[in-house]
Amino acid sequence: MRISNVSIRNFRRLEQVSIDIENRQTIFVGPNNSGKTSATALFRCFLGGRDFRIHDFSVSRLADFNAFAESGDKEKLPRIELDIWFSIDPSTIEFGRAFTLLPRLSAEFNRLGVRLSYGPKDSKKLQADYHLANQRMVEAIAERTLSQYLAENGNLRRHYEVSYFSLEKAAPQPIAKPLGRDEGKELLRNLIRVDFVDAQRNIDDDDSSRSNRLSAAFASFYRKNLEQAETAAEAHKVIDNNNKQLTKHYAEQFNPLMTVIKGLGVPSINDRDLRIVSSLSPESALRGNTELLYVDTVRQHELPELYNGLGFKNLIYMAIQARHFHSQWMQTPENRPLCQLIFIEEPEVHLHAQVQQTFIKNVWNVIEQSAREGGEQGLTPQVVVTTHSSHILDAAEFGEVRYFRRCQLEREIGPVGILNASEVHSLRAFQPDSESIDGKVVTPEQSLAFLSQYLRLTHCDLFFADAAILVEGAAEKLLLPAMIGKVVPDLQTTYLTILEVGGAFAHRFDGLLTFLRIPYLVVTDLDSVEATGRHSACRADSAGALTSNATLKKFFNVTTVAELMALDPTQKEDDDKDRCIAFQSDILVSDAPAPRSLRPRTFEEAMAYQNFSMLRSGNLSLGKLQIPAGLDEAYQCIYDHVRSSDFKKTDFAMSILAATCNWQVPNYIADGLRWLQRRLNPSASTPSQAS
C-alpha cells in the first residue's frame, strides 16, 4: 500500500494545493519560504503530536474568524484539512485489511481516501465564550478580535478538534463520509506511520538539552531495536570483566549498521575506524551508556566523538534515524500500519557536495538492509526529502521533484503583490511539446531528456531561484552580475539563476519555465546570416539578412533581421509566459565627424558599440585591435575582429570587469533587466545606469 496524493487546504502558505507522492522517494524543492516546511509541519500537526496554532491558518482565512464573530454563521469558521489518498493492489493480502478498515467505500477498490479536518467543536459555545471574555476585559483599549482570542491561553485547543472522514472519489469534489473520533484515530493508526528526521538536528558533543550526541543515538538505537544483555546481573558480570564481553556484544549487534555506514563514504580509507565500546559502571549499568570512539586501527589510538566533523556526525545520525524508524515500523507487534512515510528535512546541513550527491542512495542502502534483515525485502517506506541543495537534486529523477512556488492568495489574484501563498508543481506531470526548428523535429522525449541532463550536469539551482536569466555564452554570464549592479541594483537582493544555454537551446526551457511559472529573461544574439547560398554569417545591417538564432525564430515566428528590428518593445514581453526576450538593436554611436547607428550581431559587438568612445580612447580594449578613424571602417573592423579566431570572448569579458572606467550596459540588456525588475518588484523604481 502506498500514499499516492495529499491535498492540503488553509494551512499556512498552502491555501489549496495537491501533491503527488512517489512510491519510493519524493523531493520537495523551491525558494526559501515557499511552503516546503509547511507541508511537513502539517503532518506533524495531524499525525505527529504537535498542536495547531492560530497562525497555522492561511492568512486569507484569519478574517473569516472575525466574520463569524459578527454573524454567528458557523460556515464562516475556517478549517485546516488534509486529504490522504492511498493506492492499493486488490490482489494483495493487505487489501482485505484496508477494505475492512474502510467498509463504506464504493467499487473503486484500488484507491482509498481519508480526510483529517481541524475545525470547531461547538460554534455556539465558541461565540459565547469569546463575547464573555471580551466583556470581562477591564480598561481594554480595543476589543480583541476572535483570532486574537483564539491565539491566547490555549483557547484554540479548547474550541477546535480533529475530525475524520472516509473519502470516495467523485467529481468535482470527493464525497466525505464522517467517521467517529475514536474510529478515525484507529483508522489512521492502521493505515499510516509518519516519522521525521528534523532539519534542526543540533548534532553536538555536549550533553545539553538542545544537543544530540552520536553516542546517545547509538545507545537509543540499541535499547529500542537490538538484542540486549538479558539481565542487570549479567551486565554486572560483563562490567567486572572490564567491559570486554559487552563491547564484543555491541560489535556483533552493530556490525551490519556499521558496514552500511562505512559504505556512506565516511570515514574514508585514510580515516580512522569506528568502534562502539562499553563504558558502563555499576551505578549506570541499567542506563546502557556507551561512547563512540574514532580508532586508528594501526596505532590503536582512540579519540572521543567530539574529534570529528559535524558533517560526518550528521550523516551517521540520519542513517541511524532512518534505520530506527524503519525497524520500529517492521517490529510493530500488532496491526502494523500498512504504509510508512519518512520526512527528511534539509539533509545537506554540514555535508560537502560529494556526500550530498550520494545521500539519497546511501539512505536507501540503510533502509533496504533493514528490510533484508527483517526478512521482508518488499516492506520499505516512502521517503520525502525537503532540500535547498542542487547536489541532492542531481541524484533524483526528474519526475520525483515537486516544485513549491510562491504565489498570491486565491482571493487576491491581480497585479503582482505580496506572495502569501504557494502552489506545487509535479515535474512528473510536465510534458514538453514536440517542435520543429529548421526542419529538424525534436520529440517531447528528446526535450525532456535534454532538460533533465542539462539540469543534472550543471548542478542547476533553477528550482530555488526567484527568476532565471538565460544567456548566450560565457561572456554574458561573467558580466551579468556587474550589469545588474549598474542598471538594477535592487535585483542584487533577489535570488537569480543565470543559465548559459546558447541561442540554439534557450527555447527548449520555455515549456519548463512556463510550467513552473518562473519569470525569466532571455538574453540572446541576432546571429545574422546571408539570405542566399550557405547562409554564412554577415553583418547585421546587411540587406535581406536572416537570423540563424533558433530561439528568436521559435519565439517570434520570424526569419529576417528586418522583422526582428520592426518588433515593438512590448512584443518582446509575454505576460502569459512570464518572459522577456532581449536581443541586439541599433546603437547610435557618436564619433566625428557625424554620429551613426550601428547594428551589432553579437553581445561582444554590442559592448563595443555601446562603449565606442572608451574603445577609441583606450580605456577599454578588444585585444590587439587598432580601430580605424572612420565609423564605417571601424564597424567592419570590429565585426571582423570579433569573428576571428584571435578574439577570446572570455578574455574580453575579464578585461571589462577589470576596467576602471564607467562602461555602459548594452541597451537591449538594460531594457531586459528593467523588465525583470518590474516583474519581481513592481513598487521599486528602476534607476538608469550612470552616464
Side-chain angles (χ1 to χ4, degrees):
M1 184 171 178
R2 285 289 192 255
I3 299 173
S4 60
N5 175 273
V6 298
S7 294
I8 300 170
R9 289 175 292 281
N10 302 329
F11 185 73
R12 300 185 186 175
R13 302 187 58 89
L14 307 178
E15 189 181 26
Q16 185 163 341
V17 302
S18 176
I19 308 172
D20 293 333
I21 305 297
E22 296 287 318
N23 283 341
R24 185 173 171 90
Q25 63 200 25
T26 308
I27 314 297
F28 287 180
V29 301
N32 287 326
N33 198 31
S34 61
K36 303 184 297 296
T37 301
S38 293
T40 303
L42 182 60
F43 277 85
R44 288 184 186 275
C45 290
F46 275 125
L47 298 165
R50 177 191 177 279
D51 286 336
F52 284 96
R53 302 180 179 89
I54 190 64
H55 293 293
D56 286 329
F57 287 86
S58 297
V59 172
S60 63
R61 297 294 175 254
L62 292 179
D64 295 342
F65 285 106
N66 305 327
F68 163 78
E70 296 178 3
S71 68
D73 182 2
K74 66 179 182 180
E75 298 302 321
K76 292 187 179 295
L77 281 171
R79 294 172 174 268
I80 294 173
E81 293 184 330
L82 170 64
D83 292 355
I84 307 176
W85 290 95
F86 302 87
S87 61
I88 186 168
D89 184 352
S91 65
T92 60
I93 296 176
E94 63 184 12
F95 171 75
R97 185 171 158 216
F99 190 73
T100 302
L101 295 171
L102 294 171
R104 308 176 197 179
L105 293 182
S106 64
E108 191 181 358
F109 295 140
N110 62 346
R111 187 173 170 84
L112 310 177
V114 178
R115 173 173 295 168
L116 295 83
S117 178
Y118 187 64
K121 300 177 184 178
D122 185 331
S123 60
K124 291 183 178 179
K125 186 176 188 308
L126 170 59
Q127 188 179 37
D129 287 356
Y130 163 65
H131 288 304
L132 180 61
N134 271 346
Q135 291 171 7
R136 291 174 176 172
M137 292 182 66
V138 180
E139 298 178 356
I141 298 175
E143 186 177 273
R144 286 175 301 179
T145 64
L146 179 57
S147 58
Q148 289 172 331
Y149 166 75
L150 289 173
E152 299 172 353
N153 304 320
N155 288 336
L156 181 64
R157 186 167 60 251
R158 283 197 293 273
H159 290 287
Y160 262 63
E161 66 180 358
V162 178
S163 301
Y164 302 87
F165 303 82
S166 63
L167 295 177
E168 186 172 351
K169 195 69 176 177
Q173 297 294 333
I175 299 171
K177 300 178 180 180
L179 302 170
R181 185 171 175 81
D182 291 340
E183 182 185 9
K185 286 183 177 180
E186 182 64 21
L187 169 66
L188 263 294
R189 278 195 294 268
N190 279 274
L191 286 179
I192 183 173
R193 172 185 172 123
V194 181
D195 294 291
F196 306 89
V197 179
D198 297 330
Q200 301 299 324
R201 287 176 282 276
N202 297 314
I203 304 295
D204 209 339
D205 305 304
D206 58 42
D207 290 313
S208 70
S209 61
R210 295 177 57 83
S211 298
N212 293 311
R213 294 185 67 193
L214 275 182
S215 55
F218 274 105
S220 175
F221 184 88
Y222 171 75
R223 289 195 303 273
K224 295 177 180 178
N225 298 289
L226 302 179
E227 179 185 355
Q228 302 173 49
E230 292 184 357
T231 65
E234 182 65 25
H236 277 274
K237 292 179 182 178
V238 174
I239 293 170
D240 292 339
N241 286 317
N242 205 22
N243 285 326
K244 289 183 180 179
Q245 294 301 318
L246 197 52
T247 297
K248 179 182 178 182
H249 173 72
Y250 288 149
E252 293 173 352
Q253 292 295 318
F254 280 110
N255 181 61
L257 182 58
M258 285 298 194
T259 299
V260 173
I261 288 174
K262 291 176 182 178
L264 299 178
V266 286
S268 71
I269 194 170
N270 297 316
D271 289 329
R272 294 172 179 266
D273 203 354
L274 297 175
R275 183 179 300 166
I276 299 291
V277 300
S278 170
S279 61
L280 298 179
S281 63
E283 294 77 21
S284 61
L286 298 180
R287 294 206 304 268
N289 265 355
T290 59
E291 290 184 5
L292 178 67
L293 301 181
Y294 302 105
V295 181
D296 182 332
T297 55
V298 176
R299 299 176 180 83
Q300 293 300 305
H301 181 228
E302 299 173 342
L303 290 174
E305 67 177 271
L306 66 88
Y307 286 86
N308 216 308
L310 292 177
F312 176 71
K313 297 173 187 177
N314 180 40
L315 186 62
I316 294 180
Y317 185 80
M318 288 188 290
I320 295 173
Q321 288 283 86
R323 172 68 182 266
H324 164 66
F325 292 143
H326 183 241
S327 296
Q328 289 290 290
W329 177 46
M330 287 201 307
Q331 294 170 17
T332 302
E334 295 181 359
N335 296 325
R336 180 173 63 202
L338 294 177
C339 63
Q340 181 185 35
L341 186 64
I342 299 178
F343 286 94
I344 304 177
E345 296 186 80
E346 299 179 16
E348 64 268 19
V349 175
H350 304 304
L351 299 184
H352 60 75
Q354 290 88 340
V355 177
Q356 290 180 37
Q357 285 181 285
T358 60
F359 166 76
I360 291 178
K361 177 183 177 181
N362 291 331
V363 165
W364 278 106
N365 287 340
V366 172
I367 291 172
E368 287 167 351
Q369 181 211 50
S370 175
R372 286 193 301 271
E373 291 177 3
E376 299 192 65
Q377 285 86 339
L379 193 66
T380 56
Q382 290 169 272
V383 175
V384 173
V385 178
T386 67
T387 183
H388 296 96
S389 167
S390 60
H391 298 287
I392 288 178
L393 197 56
D394 290 342
E397 295 298 325
F398 200 74
E400 295 171 344
V401 176
R402 303 294 177 266
Y403 173 69
F404 285 68
R405 173 185 172 267
R406 298 189 294 259
C407 65
Q408 291 176 269
L409 295 167
E410 198 173 59
R411 300 179 181 184
E412 299 176 358
I413 299 299
V416 177
I418 297 176
L419 305 180
N420 276 322
S422 294
E423 58 188 23
V424 182
H425 300 276
S426 168
L427 266 66
R428 179 74 64 192
F430 171 64
Q431 183 67 28
D433 295 328
S434 60
E435 57 184 355
S436 177
I437 301 292
D438 294 334
K440 182 180 180 181
V441 176
V442 179
T443 66
E445 293 75 17
Q446 290 172 324
S447 290
L448 196 60
F450 165 79
L451 290 169
S452 178
Q453 187 74 355
Y454 179 91
L455 296 176
R456 177 170 286 117
L457 290 176
T458 58
H459 301 298
C460 180
D461 57 356
L462 174 66
F463 297 104
F464 311 103
D466 297 317
I469 302 178
L470 279 57
V471 299
E472 185 92 359
E476 293 97 317
K477 188 171 184 178
L478 282 170
L479 286 169
L480 205 53
M483 292 179 174
I484 290 171
K486 281 178 170 288
V487 179
V488 281
D490 285 347
L491 278 184
Q492 293 174 322
T493 63
T494 61
Y495 189 2
L496 303 176
T497 184
I498 302 173
L499 308 181
E500 182 185 342
V501 297
F505 296 104
H507 62 281
R508 292 276 193 94
F509 289 82
D510 176 59
L512 177 61
L513 292 165
T514 300
F515 176 79
L516 298 176
R517 298 297 299 171
I518 298 176
Y520 71 105
L521 168 66
V522 178
V523 178
T524 192
D525 290 339
L526 278 178
D527 291 333
S528 53
V529 295
E530 295 173 349
T532 59
R534 301 180 64 180
H535 300 304
S536 301
C538 66
R539 266 181 20 182
D541 65 342
S542 299
L546 306 177
T547 177
S548 64
N549 188 302
T551 294
L552 295 179
K553 289 189 285 187
K554 171 70 175 178
F555 286 151
F556 296 115
N557 194 28
V558 300
T559 58
T560 69
V561 171
E563 289 173 306
L564 290 171
M565 292 298 103
L567 291 174
D568 185 88
T570 58
Q571 293 178 276
K572 302 174 185 178
E573 303 171 7
D574 189 328
D575 292 337
D576 292 335
K577 296 279 192 178
D578 227 353
R579 173 188 77 200
C580 178
I581 313 298
F583 55 87
Q584 289 84 12
S585 58
D586 292 347
I587 299 173
L588 183 63
V589 177
S590 297
D591 192 57
R596 177 185 166 181
S597 288
L598 303 183
R599 182 174 298 169
R601 180 181 187 271
T602 62
F603 165 72
E604 292 77 18
E605 280 189 68
M607 281 294 297
Y609 306 149
Q610 193 77 48
N611 298 279
F612 190 80
S613 61
M614 297 180 192
L615 281 177
R616 180 76 82 188
S617 66
N619 289 322
L620 287 180
S621 172
L622 278 173
K624 297 179 180 179
L625 176 68
Q626 189 70 34
I627 299 177
L631 273 181
D632 288 343
E633 294 80 4
Y635 187 10
Q636 185 66 42
C637 179
I638 291 173
Y639 166 77
D640 290 336
H641 179 67
V642 167
R643 292 196 63 244
S644 71
S645 59
D646 293 334
F647 182 72
K648 307 300 181 185
K649 294 183 178 182
T650 303
D651 291 348
F652 170 66
M654 296 301 293
S655 71
I656 295 289
L657 290 174
T660 57
C661 59
N662 186 24
W663 52 270
Q664 301 291 289
V665 178
N667 292 333
Y668 73 102
I669 296 179
D671 291 342
L673 291 174
R674 293 188 185 104
W675 170 85
L676 194 58
Q677 165 80 335
R678 293 192 300 272
R679 172 58 188 81
L680 294 181
N681 190 4
S683 61
S685 59
T686 306
S688 298
Q689 59 184 351
S691 58

